[in-house]
Short mmCIF file of all heavy atoms in Angstrom, two decimals:
data_model
loop_
_atom_site.label_atom_id
_atom_site.label_comp_id
_atom_site.label_asym_id
_atom_site.label_seq_id
_atom_site.Cartn_x
_atom_site.Cartn_y
_atom_site.Cartn_z
N THR A 137 20.91 -8.86 -6.10
CA THR A 137 21.10 -10.26 -6.44
C THR A 137 21.51 -10.99 -5.17
O THR A 137 21.82 -10.38 -4.13
CB THR A 137 22.15 -10.48 -7.50
OG1 THR A 137 23.45 -10.11 -6.93
CG2 THR A 137 21.90 -9.61 -8.75
N SER A 138 21.55 -12.33 -5.19
CA SER A 138 21.93 -13.09 -4.00
C SER A 138 23.34 -12.78 -3.58
O SER A 138 23.69 -12.89 -2.43
CB SER A 138 21.79 -14.60 -4.32
OG SER A 138 22.59 -14.99 -5.42
N LYS A 139 24.21 -12.44 -4.57
CA LYS A 139 25.61 -12.13 -4.25
C LYS A 139 25.90 -10.65 -3.99
O LYS A 139 26.88 -10.30 -3.41
CB LYS A 139 26.51 -12.60 -5.40
CG LYS A 139 26.48 -14.14 -5.59
CD LYS A 139 27.46 -14.55 -6.69
CE LYS A 139 27.45 -16.07 -6.86
NZ LYS A 139 28.38 -16.49 -7.95
N ARG A 140 24.98 -9.81 -4.43
CA ARG A 140 25.19 -8.39 -4.31
C ARG A 140 23.86 -7.70 -3.92
O ARG A 140 23.07 -7.33 -4.77
CB ARG A 140 25.74 -7.80 -5.61
CG ARG A 140 25.92 -6.29 -5.58
CD ARG A 140 26.62 -5.80 -6.83
NE ARG A 140 28.01 -6.17 -6.86
CZ ARG A 140 28.92 -5.76 -7.76
NH1 ARG A 140 28.50 -5.01 -8.73
NH2 ARG A 140 30.19 -6.15 -7.71
N PRO A 141 23.62 -7.54 -2.60
CA PRO A 141 22.36 -6.96 -2.15
C PRO A 141 22.20 -5.50 -2.51
O PRO A 141 21.13 -5.00 -2.61
CB PRO A 141 22.42 -7.17 -0.63
CG PRO A 141 23.85 -7.29 -0.29
CD PRO A 141 24.49 -7.95 -1.47
N VAL A 142 23.35 -4.80 -2.71
CA VAL A 142 23.30 -3.41 -3.09
C VAL A 142 24.26 -3.15 -4.25
O VAL A 142 25.37 -3.67 -4.22
CB VAL A 142 23.69 -2.49 -1.89
CG1 VAL A 142 23.68 -1.04 -2.35
CG2 VAL A 142 22.75 -2.68 -0.72
N ASN A 143 23.83 -2.50 -5.25
CA ASN A 143 24.65 -2.21 -6.40
C ASN A 143 24.34 -0.78 -6.85
O ASN A 143 23.42 -0.55 -7.61
CB ASN A 143 24.36 -3.18 -7.55
CG ASN A 143 25.25 -2.97 -8.77
OD1 ASN A 143 26.20 -2.16 -8.72
ND2 ASN A 143 24.97 -3.68 -9.83
N MET A 144 25.15 0.18 -6.32
CA MET A 144 24.83 1.59 -6.52
C MET A 144 26.09 2.37 -6.82
O MET A 144 27.12 2.18 -6.18
CB MET A 144 24.12 2.16 -5.31
CG MET A 144 23.71 3.63 -5.45
SD MET A 144 23.07 4.31 -3.92
CE MET A 144 21.56 3.38 -3.73
N ASN A 145 25.99 3.30 -7.79
CA ASN A 145 27.02 4.30 -8.02
C ASN A 145 26.47 5.63 -7.77
O ASN A 145 25.32 5.93 -8.17
CB ASN A 145 27.53 4.21 -9.50
CG ASN A 145 28.28 2.92 -9.78
OD1 ASN A 145 28.98 2.40 -8.93
ND2 ASN A 145 28.13 2.40 -11.01
N CYS A 146 27.26 6.51 -7.11
CA CYS A 146 26.79 7.86 -6.80
C CYS A 146 27.74 8.91 -7.34
O CYS A 146 28.93 8.66 -7.43
CB CYS A 146 26.60 8.03 -5.29
SG CYS A 146 25.23 7.03 -4.60
N TYR A 147 27.16 10.06 -7.67
CA TYR A 147 27.92 11.16 -8.30
C TYR A 147 27.59 12.46 -7.66
O TYR A 147 26.49 12.61 -7.06
CB TYR A 147 27.63 11.21 -9.81
CG TYR A 147 27.90 9.91 -10.50
CD1 TYR A 147 26.87 8.95 -10.61
CD2 TYR A 147 29.11 9.61 -11.10
CE1 TYR A 147 27.10 7.72 -11.23
CE2 TYR A 147 29.36 8.37 -11.71
CZ TYR A 147 28.34 7.45 -11.81
OH TYR A 147 28.56 6.23 -12.41
N ARG A 148 28.40 13.49 -7.86
CA ARG A 148 28.08 14.78 -7.35
C ARG A 148 27.12 15.59 -8.20
O ARG A 148 26.53 16.54 -7.76
CB ARG A 148 29.36 15.58 -7.17
CG ARG A 148 30.22 15.09 -6.00
CD ARG A 148 31.31 16.11 -5.63
NE ARG A 148 32.09 15.64 -4.49
CZ ARG A 148 33.23 14.99 -4.57
NH1 ARG A 148 33.72 14.69 -5.77
NH2 ARG A 148 33.90 14.60 -3.50
N THR A 149 26.95 15.16 -9.48
CA THR A 149 26.02 15.88 -10.37
C THR A 149 25.00 14.94 -11.00
O THR A 149 25.26 13.75 -11.21
CB THR A 149 26.78 16.61 -11.48
OG1 THR A 149 27.32 15.60 -12.40
CG2 THR A 149 27.90 17.48 -10.95
N TYR A 150 23.82 15.52 -11.26
CA TYR A 150 22.78 14.81 -11.94
C TYR A 150 23.20 14.42 -13.34
O TYR A 150 22.85 13.33 -13.85
CB TYR A 150 21.52 15.72 -11.97
CG TYR A 150 20.29 15.09 -12.54
CD1 TYR A 150 19.60 14.03 -11.94
CD2 TYR A 150 19.74 15.60 -13.71
CE1 TYR A 150 18.47 13.49 -12.42
CE2 TYR A 150 18.59 15.06 -14.26
CZ TYR A 150 17.94 14.01 -13.61
OH TYR A 150 16.79 13.49 -14.10
N THR A 151 23.96 15.28 -13.97
CA THR A 151 24.45 15.03 -15.32
C THR A 151 25.23 13.71 -15.38
O THR A 151 25.02 12.88 -16.29
CB THR A 151 25.38 16.17 -15.76
OG1 THR A 151 24.68 17.40 -15.71
CG2 THR A 151 25.88 15.95 -17.20
N GLU A 152 26.11 13.48 -14.42
CA GLU A 152 26.92 12.28 -14.41
C GLU A 152 26.04 11.04 -14.16
O GLU A 152 26.27 9.96 -14.74
CB GLU A 152 28.00 12.35 -13.29
CG GLU A 152 29.08 13.38 -13.57
CD GLU A 152 29.93 13.63 -12.37
OE1 GLU A 152 29.44 14.14 -11.36
OE2 GLU A 152 31.13 13.27 -12.43
N ALA A 153 25.03 11.16 -13.29
CA ALA A 153 24.16 10.04 -13.02
C ALA A 153 23.35 9.66 -14.24
O ALA A 153 23.17 8.46 -14.54
CB ALA A 153 23.25 10.33 -11.82
N VAL A 154 22.84 10.67 -14.96
CA VAL A 154 22.08 10.37 -16.16
C VAL A 154 22.98 9.72 -17.19
O VAL A 154 22.57 8.79 -17.90
CB VAL A 154 21.46 11.67 -16.75
CG1 VAL A 154 20.85 11.44 -18.12
CG2 VAL A 154 20.37 12.14 -15.78
N SER A 155 24.22 10.19 -17.31
CA SER A 155 25.17 9.53 -18.25
C SER A 155 25.38 8.12 -17.88
O SER A 155 25.47 7.24 -18.76
CB SER A 155 26.49 10.34 -18.22
OG SER A 155 27.41 9.76 -19.15
N ASP A 156 25.50 7.81 -16.59
CA ASP A 156 25.64 6.41 -16.12
C ASP A 156 24.44 5.56 -16.53
O ASP A 156 24.60 4.52 -17.19
CB ASP A 156 25.83 6.39 -14.62
CG ASP A 156 26.00 4.99 -14.02
OD1 ASP A 156 25.51 3.99 -14.65
OD2 ASP A 156 26.52 4.90 -12.91
N VAL A 157 23.26 6.00 -16.19
CA VAL A 157 22.09 5.17 -16.42
C VAL A 157 21.76 4.99 -17.91
O VAL A 157 21.06 4.06 -18.27
CB VAL A 157 20.84 5.72 -15.66
CG1 VAL A 157 20.19 6.88 -16.41
CG2 VAL A 157 19.84 4.63 -15.33
N THR A 158 22.25 5.89 -18.71
CA THR A 158 22.02 5.79 -20.19
C THR A 158 23.24 5.24 -20.95
O THR A 158 23.27 5.30 -22.17
CB THR A 158 21.64 7.15 -20.78
OG1 THR A 158 22.74 8.09 -20.58
CG2 THR A 158 20.37 7.72 -20.15
N GLY A 159 24.25 4.73 -20.26
CA GLY A 159 25.42 4.22 -20.90
C GLY A 159 26.16 5.32 -21.71
O GLY A 159 26.78 5.02 -22.72
N GLY A 160 26.10 6.57 -21.23
CA GLY A 160 26.81 7.63 -21.87
C GLY A 160 26.06 8.28 -23.05
O GLY A 160 26.56 9.21 -23.67
N ARG A 161 24.86 7.78 -23.34
CA ARG A 161 24.11 8.29 -24.48
C ARG A 161 23.48 9.64 -24.24
O ARG A 161 23.20 10.38 -25.17
CB ARG A 161 23.04 7.27 -24.92
CG ARG A 161 23.60 6.02 -25.51
CD ARG A 161 22.53 4.98 -25.86
NE ARG A 161 23.07 3.87 -26.61
CZ ARG A 161 23.66 2.81 -26.01
NH1 ARG A 161 23.69 2.73 -24.68
NH2 ARG A 161 24.12 1.81 -26.76
N VAL A 162 23.22 9.98 -22.97
CA VAL A 162 22.72 11.31 -22.62
C VAL A 162 23.73 11.88 -21.62
O VAL A 162 23.75 11.55 -20.46
CB VAL A 162 21.32 11.25 -21.99
CG1 VAL A 162 20.88 12.68 -21.63
CG2 VAL A 162 20.33 10.61 -22.93
N ALA A 163 24.61 12.75 -22.12
CA ALA A 163 25.75 13.21 -21.32
C ALA A 163 25.64 14.72 -20.98
O ALA A 163 26.59 15.29 -20.43
CB ALA A 163 27.06 12.94 -22.04
N ASP A 164 24.47 15.33 -21.27
CA ASP A 164 24.38 16.77 -21.04
C ASP A 164 23.10 17.14 -20.29
O ASP A 164 22.56 18.23 -20.50
CB ASP A 164 24.37 17.49 -22.38
CG ASP A 164 23.28 17.06 -23.35
OD1 ASP A 164 22.57 16.08 -23.04
OD2 ASP A 164 23.09 17.71 -24.40
N ALA A 165 22.61 16.26 -19.43
CA ALA A 165 21.41 16.58 -18.69
C ALA A 165 21.63 17.77 -17.79
O ALA A 165 22.66 17.87 -17.09
CB ALA A 165 20.99 15.38 -17.82
N PRO A 166 20.70 18.74 -17.79
CA PRO A 166 20.91 19.97 -16.95
C PRO A 166 20.58 19.71 -15.50
O PRO A 166 20.01 18.68 -15.12
CB PRO A 166 19.87 20.94 -17.61
CG PRO A 166 18.81 20.02 -18.14
CD PRO A 166 19.49 18.78 -18.65
N ASP A 167 20.96 20.63 -14.72
CA ASP A 167 20.64 20.62 -13.26
C ASP A 167 19.14 20.57 -13.09
O ASP A 167 18.40 21.42 -13.63
CB ASP A 167 21.20 21.90 -12.63
CG ASP A 167 20.93 22.01 -11.14
OD1 ASP A 167 20.15 21.20 -10.61
OD2 ASP A 167 21.54 22.88 -10.52
N PRO A 168 18.57 19.60 -12.39
CA PRO A 168 17.11 19.47 -12.24
C PRO A 168 16.45 20.67 -11.60
O PRO A 168 15.27 20.95 -11.80
CB PRO A 168 16.92 18.18 -11.41
CG PRO A 168 18.23 17.93 -10.76
CD PRO A 168 19.27 18.47 -11.73
N SER A 169 17.21 21.45 -10.77
CA SER A 169 16.61 22.56 -10.09
C SER A 169 16.22 23.72 -11.02
O SER A 169 15.43 24.57 -10.66
CB SER A 169 17.58 23.11 -8.98
OG SER A 169 18.72 23.73 -9.62
N ILE A 170 16.77 23.71 -12.27
CA ILE A 170 16.43 24.77 -13.22
C ILE A 170 15.56 24.27 -14.35
O ILE A 170 15.19 25.02 -15.23
CB ILE A 170 17.69 25.40 -13.79
CG1 ILE A 170 18.49 24.39 -14.61
CG2 ILE A 170 18.59 26.02 -12.68
CD1 ILE A 170 19.57 24.99 -15.50
N MET A 171 15.20 23.00 -14.33
CA MET A 171 14.40 22.43 -15.43
C MET A 171 12.91 22.82 -15.27
O MET A 171 12.37 22.71 -14.18
CB MET A 171 14.55 20.91 -15.49
CG MET A 171 15.85 20.47 -16.11
SD MET A 171 15.85 18.68 -16.52
CE MET A 171 16.01 17.96 -14.91
N THR A 172 12.30 23.20 -16.35
CA THR A 172 10.83 23.37 -16.38
C THR A 172 10.20 22.01 -16.56
O THR A 172 10.86 21.01 -16.85
CB THR A 172 10.45 24.30 -17.53
OG1 THR A 172 10.78 23.63 -18.80
CG2 THR A 172 11.17 25.63 -17.45
N SER A 173 8.87 21.94 -16.43
CA SER A 173 8.18 20.70 -16.70
C SER A 173 8.41 20.20 -18.13
O SER A 173 8.55 18.97 -18.38
CB SER A 173 6.69 20.83 -16.42
OG SER A 173 6.13 21.86 -17.22
N ALA A 174 8.48 21.14 -19.08
CA ALA A 174 8.78 20.75 -20.45
C ALA A 174 10.17 20.21 -20.61
O ALA A 174 10.41 19.24 -21.36
CB ALA A 174 8.56 21.95 -21.39
N ASP A 175 11.12 20.82 -19.88
CA ASP A 175 12.52 20.31 -19.91
C ASP A 175 12.56 18.89 -19.38
O ASP A 175 13.27 18.01 -19.94
CB ASP A 175 13.43 21.20 -19.07
CG ASP A 175 13.60 22.59 -19.63
OD1 ASP A 175 13.47 22.76 -20.86
OD2 ASP A 175 13.90 23.52 -18.84
#
Side-chain angles (χ1 to χ4, degrees):
T137 67
S138 58
K139 295 182 179 180
R140 179 172 286 186
V142 178
N143 183 6
M144 183 187 292
N145 291 325
C146 291
Y147 305 88
R148 288 193 177 95
T149 69
Y150 184 67
T151 303
E152 292 169 293
V154 170
S155 182
D156 179 337
V157 82
T158 61
R161 290 178 173 83
V162 179
D164 59 351
D167 180 348
S169 69
I170 64 166
M171 284 193 285
T172 65
S173 58
D175 292 335

